[in-house]
C-alpha cells in the first residue's frame, strides 16, 4: 500500500453498528467516508473522528434506496480521488408486518438497500482492491440468515442469507490476493434498529445475555475479516443458537422459529 492511511467507506454510518465501525476504524488510523441519509448525524460523527483521531472524514449523504444511489456515491468518490480499501456494507433496516400488508415500493426499497446496493458497491470497488493487492469487505449480515425465517419482517432473514452466501463466494474468488471478504452475523445488538421497526417493546423483554454492544460486534468483525474468515457469527450465545438450529430437523427448527418469532417480530401491520 502506498497511501499513508487506508480509506474505509461505511454505509449506514449515522448510528448503531455503522457509527461503531467508523469509530473503530478511525481509531486504527483509517481515513473514513461516512454515508447515510442523515447529514446532520454524519457531520457530527465526522467532526468527532477528526478531533479525536486526526483522520480525514468525508461525508457523502446518499440514499441507497435510490436506484442510482450507488452509482452517484461512487462518482462522488471518483471526483474526490478517493480509493476505498475497506468497504463496510452496513446500511439496513427492517420492514415490520406481514408481506402482503406492505406496498410493493416498500419492499422494493428494502431490497435495494439490503441486497442490490451492497452487491453493486462490492462490484464497483473490488476491482480496485484487486489491482492494489489489498482490500477488506465486511458485509453486515445477521444471525437471522442462519436460522429459519420468521413470520413478519418477511424479507429480512432472506436478505441476510443472501449476504452470507454472496460473501462466501466473493471470499473464495479472492483468496490469496490480499482481498478478504467477511459476512458479519450479529444477533440482538443495542442500536436504534428496533425503535425504527416499532418492536422495541417486544425485544425489551428479551434477557440481557442475548444482547451485544455495537462496539463488541465491530471488534469481532474487524478481527474476523483480518483473519480471512468468510463468515463470522458474533458472541458465544449466537454461535450456540446457530449450531443448535443446524442440528435440528427442518420441521422442528421451523416450529421453534414460529414460536420464538412472536417474541420479537411485528407480524401484522396495524
Amino acid at each position: 500500500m502506498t497511501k499513508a492511511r487506508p480509506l474505509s467507506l461505511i454505509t449506514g454510518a449515522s448510528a448503531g453498528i455503522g457509527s461503531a465501525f467508523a469509530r473503530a476504524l478511525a481509531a486504527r488510523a483509517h481515513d473514513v467516508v461516512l454515508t447515510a441519509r442523515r447529514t446532520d448525524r454524519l457531520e457530527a460523527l465526522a467532526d468527532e473522528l477528526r478531533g479525536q483521531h486526526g483522520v480525514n472524514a468525508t461525508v457523502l449523504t446518499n440514499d441507497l434506496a435510490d436506484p442510482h444511489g450507488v452509482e452517484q456515491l461512487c462518482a462522488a468518490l471518483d471526483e474526490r480521488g478517493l480509493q476505498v480499501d475497506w468497504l463496510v456494507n452496513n446500511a439496513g433496516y427492517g420492514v415490520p408486518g406481514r408481506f402482503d400488508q406492505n406496498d410493493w415500493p416498500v419492499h422494493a426499497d428494502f431490497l435495494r438497500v439490503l441486497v442490490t446496493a451492497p452487491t453493486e458497491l462490492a462490484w464497483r470497488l473490488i476491482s480496485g482492491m484487486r489491482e492494489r493487492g489489498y482490500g477488506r469487505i465486511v458485509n453486515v449480515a445477521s444471525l437471522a440468515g442462519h436460522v429459519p425465517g420468521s413470520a413478519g419482517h418477511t424479507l429480512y432473514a432472506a436478505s441476510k442469507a443472501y449476504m452470507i452466501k454472496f460473501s462466501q463466494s466473493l471470499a473464495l474468488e479472492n483468496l490469496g490476493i490480499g482481498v478478504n471478504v467477511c459476512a458479519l452475523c450479529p444477533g440482538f445488538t443495542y442500536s436504534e434498529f428496533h425503535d425504527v421497526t416499532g418492536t422495541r417493546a417486544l425485544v425489551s423483554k428479551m434477557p440481557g445475555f442475548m444482547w451485544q454492544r455495537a462496539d463488541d460486534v465491530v471488534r469481532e468483525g474487524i478481527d474476523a475479516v483480518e483473519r480471512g474468515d468468510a463468515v463470522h457469527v458474533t458472541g458465544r450465545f449466537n454461535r450456540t443458537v446457530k449450531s443448535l438450529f443446524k442440528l435440528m430437523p427442518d420441521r422442528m427448527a421451523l416450529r421453534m422459529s414460529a414460536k420464538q418469532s412472536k417474541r420479537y417480530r411485528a407480524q401484522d401491520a396495524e
Side-chain angles (χ1 to χ4, degrees):
M1 296 177 59
T2 58
K3 295 188 296 183
R5 292 190 293 258
L7 176 69
S8 294
L9 168 63
I10 303 109
T11 72
S14 59
I17 292 174
S19 60
F21 259 111
R23 291 185 174 98
L25 292 169
R28 289 165 170 78
H30 286 221
D31 291 333
V32 295
V33 177
L34 310 175
T35 185
R37 292 178 299 173
R38 295 178 288 189
T39 304
D40 55 341
R41 288 200 177 193
L42 295 177
E43 292 288 4
L45 178 58
D47 288 343
E48 173 192 328
L49 301 181
R50 295 181 194 114
Q52 290 189 1
H53 305 293
V55 300
N56 296 315
T58 303
V59 169
L60 296 177
T61 307
N62 186 272
D63 184 359
L64 295 178
D66 184 330
H68 303 291
V70 172
E71 183 179 5
Q72 293 167 353
L73 176 59
C74 291
L77 292 170
D78 290 342
E79 288 172 5
R80 292 162 174 78
L82 298 173
Q83 294 181 331
V84 174
D85 303 296
W86 280 62
L87 167 62
V88 180
N89 275 318
N90 166 75
Y93 59 98
V95 176
R98 204 175 67 208
F99 182 63
D100 61 298
Q101 291 183 326
N102 286 290
D103 294 336
W104 175 247
V106 174
H107 293 312
D109 284 353
F110 175 90
L111 290 170
R112 275 194 289 269
V113 173
L114 274 85
V115 176
T116 305
T119 306
E120 184 179 352
L121 271 170
W123 177 77
R124 288 182 178 275
L125 297 176
I126 199 167
S127 293
M129 295 178 184
R130 289 176 59 91
E131 290 172 5
R132 295 188 295 274
Y134 176 82
R136 302 288 184 265
I137 297 177
V138 179
N139 293 318
V140 180
S142 172
L143 176 63
H146 291 284
V147 302
S150 63
H153 298 250
T154 321
L155 298 178
Y156 188 79
S159 70
K160 297 305 186 179
Y162 166 83
M163 292 307 296
I164 292 166
K165 297 301 183 184
F166 171 60
S167 299
Q168 288 173 326
S169 294
L170 204 58
L172 290 173
E173 289 177 359
N174 291 278
L175 278 177
I177 64 168
V179 178
N180 296 350
V181 182
C182 179
L184 179 63
C185 302
F188 289 108
T189 306
Y190 292 113
S191 71
E192 296 179 353
F193 179 90
H194 300 287
D195 299 306
V196 174
T197 60
T199 56
R200 174 59 60 194
L202 285 172
V203 299
S204 293
K205 300 175 184 178
M206 309 298 284
F209 66 82
M210 296 179 63
W211 291 84
Q212 282 188 288
R213 292 163 47 90
D215 53 353
D216 293 329
V217 168
V218 166
R219 184 179 64 252
E220 288 193 44
I222 291 173
D223 290 345
V225 74
E226 289 284 43
R227 287 194 304 267
D229 295 349
V231 180
H232 179 73
V233 179
T234 67
R236 184 179 300 174
F237 172 79
N238 295 323
R239 290 191 286 272
T240 300
V241 169
K242 177 197 170 186
S243 298
L244 288 175
F245 272 102
K246 188 174 182 179
L247 293 172
M248 284 183 194
D250 289 346
R251 186 174 296 178
M252 181 185 297
L254 196 59
R255 284 201 302 268
M256 181 172 288
S257 179
K259 180 180 179 181
Q260 294 299 319
S261 64
K262 294 178 182 178
R263 301 174 62 187
Y264 56 88
R265 293 290 192 226
Q267 300 181 14
D268 295 305
E270 297 296 333

